[in-house]
């Protein structure tokens, strides 16, 4: 059974690459959804108009990208498409590429001060209270992630919030290492308090400046420790 999805036959040139793109497009436009089982190999190869060896190559590629998952004895399924899982292969590439990490720091410095300024413009009393509650979390790393996620939520722009989530996921593995540098946690706590105070004061310029100072300080600490952090914020 195809689950209602219509599979178009592919050209034979670059068939594996075409098949990868075709299946990705079917997921993007909703013809295939997370958890859905793909047709059996013979049927799917016929539906796509490619050989079974080419189909196996296609599936291996998509499994390696965490887009599909193979379950022994059950078949091949569309994966959960969780952001963190999809970005895992890129995290490894970034760990090897210092220039890419520097560029991600630049991206944070473009994105997050703007989110902080929007939060200062749009925050209500309950949202400010939630930001202050995040500051009080006994786990500084949990407080870090929660605060930056809340700022993105308060900013009220779903697209910018999604972009921040991507950056946060890409730098997740380095957070704890950066936090081990002397003074980083204390400095981050002070930075966060300044950001929240600016939001509470409804001062977009101050919120933007406080976030810029915070990210610049963390970038310097990360480079000194020869590690880079692009989390949802903080150490």
């Amino acid at each position: 059974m195809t689950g209602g999805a219509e599979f178009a036959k592919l050209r034979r040139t670059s068939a594996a690459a075409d098949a990868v793109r075709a299946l990705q497009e079917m997921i993007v436009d909703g013809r295939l959804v997370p958890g859905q089982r793909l047709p059996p190999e013979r049927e799917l190869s016929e539906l796509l108009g490619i050989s079974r060896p080419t189909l196996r190559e296609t599936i291996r590629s998509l499994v390696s990208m965490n887009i599909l998952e193979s379950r022994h004895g059950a078949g091949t399924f569309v994966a959960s498409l969780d952001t963190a899982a999809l970005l895992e292969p890129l995290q490894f590439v970034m760990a090897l590429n210092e220039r890419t990490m520097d560029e991600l720091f630049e991206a944070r410095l473009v994105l997050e001060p703007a989110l902080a300024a929007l939060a200062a413009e749009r925050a209500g009393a309950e949202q400010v209270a939630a930001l202050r509650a995040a500051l009080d979390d006994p786990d500084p790393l949990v407080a870090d992630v929660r605060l930056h996620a809340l700022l993105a939520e308060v900013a009220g722009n779903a697209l910018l919030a999604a972009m921040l989530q991507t950056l946060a996921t890409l730098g997740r593995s380095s957070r704890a290492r950066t936090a081990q540098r002397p003074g980083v946690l204390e400095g981050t706590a002070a930075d966060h308090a300044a950001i929240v105070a600016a939001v509470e004061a409804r001062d977009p310029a101050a919120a933007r400046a406080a976030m810029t100072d915070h990210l610049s300080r963390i970038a310097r600490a990360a480079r000194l420790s020869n590690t880079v952090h692009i989390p949802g914020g903080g150490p």
Side-chain angles (χ1 to χ4, degrees):
M1 296 181 62
T2 64
E6 297 182 4
F7 294 83
K9 290 187 182 295
L10 303 171
R11 300 188 309 270
R12 296 194 179 277
T13 57
S14 305
D18 288 345
V20 167
R21 286 192 293 271
L23 291 172
Q24 287 174 323
E25 288 171 3
M26 293 179 72
I27 291 169
V28 169
D29 66 22
R31 285 176 287 164
L32 293 173
V33 298
Q36 182 174 342
R37 183 182 183 276
L38 296 186
E41 182 181 282
R42 182 187 299 276
E43 180 182 351
L44 185 55
S45 65
E46 292 175 355
L47 288 167
L48 294 174
I50 58 178
S51 68
R52 293 174 72 177
T54 297
L55 177 61
R56 294 186 196 112
E57 179 184 347
T58 298
I59 290 174
R60 281 195 298 270
S61 295
L62 290 168
V63 168
S64 72
M65 290 185 273
N66 294 330
I67 293 173
L68 298 180
E69 59 178 291
S70 293
R71 302 177 190 172
H72 182 68
T76 302
F77 295 78
V78 180
S80 65
L81 305 181
D82 174 73
T83 300
L86 290 173
L87 291 173
E88 279 179 5
L90 184 55
Q91 289 183 55
F92 177 73
V93 173
M94 288 178 13
L96 299 175
N97 190 330
E98 184 176 349
R99 177 178 176 181
T100 301
M101 300 298 261
D102 287 342
E103 289 173 352
L104 280 167
F105 261 117
E106 290 180 355
R108 285 193 69 189
L109 281 163
V110 169
L111 176 64
E112 294 198 59
L115 284 171
L118 287 172
E121 292 177 4
R122 299 171 179 175
E126 291 185 3
Q127 293 168 313
V128 170
L131 290 169
R132 289 216 163 272
L135 292 177
D136 295 331
D137 194 292
D139 185 329
L141 296 181
V142 172
D144 164 36
V145 174
R146 180 62 179 153
L147 179 69
H148 283 257
L150 278 171
L151 284 167
E153 181 181 318
V154 174
N157 186 305
L159 180 57
L160 292 177
M163 293 168 66
L164 176 62
Q165 181 185 5
T166 298
L167 295 179
T169 301
L170 289 174
R172 183 179 297 171
S173 63
S174 66
R175 181 183 302 120
R177 287 179 295 168
T178 306
Q180 292 173 3
R181 283 196 58 80
V184 167
L185 291 179
E186 294 81 3
T188 293
D191 291 349
H192 285 171
I195 294 166
V196 173
V199 171
E200 186 171 19
R202 309 299 193 272
D203 189 336
R208 182 187 295 272
M211 180 64 79
T212 299
D213 289 345
H214 168 55
L215 295 176
S216 298
R217 185 183 64 78
I218 293 301
R220 289 193 297 270
R223 292 182 183 114
L224 285 173
S225 62
N226 199 30
T227 184
V228 181
H229 168 50
I230 299 127

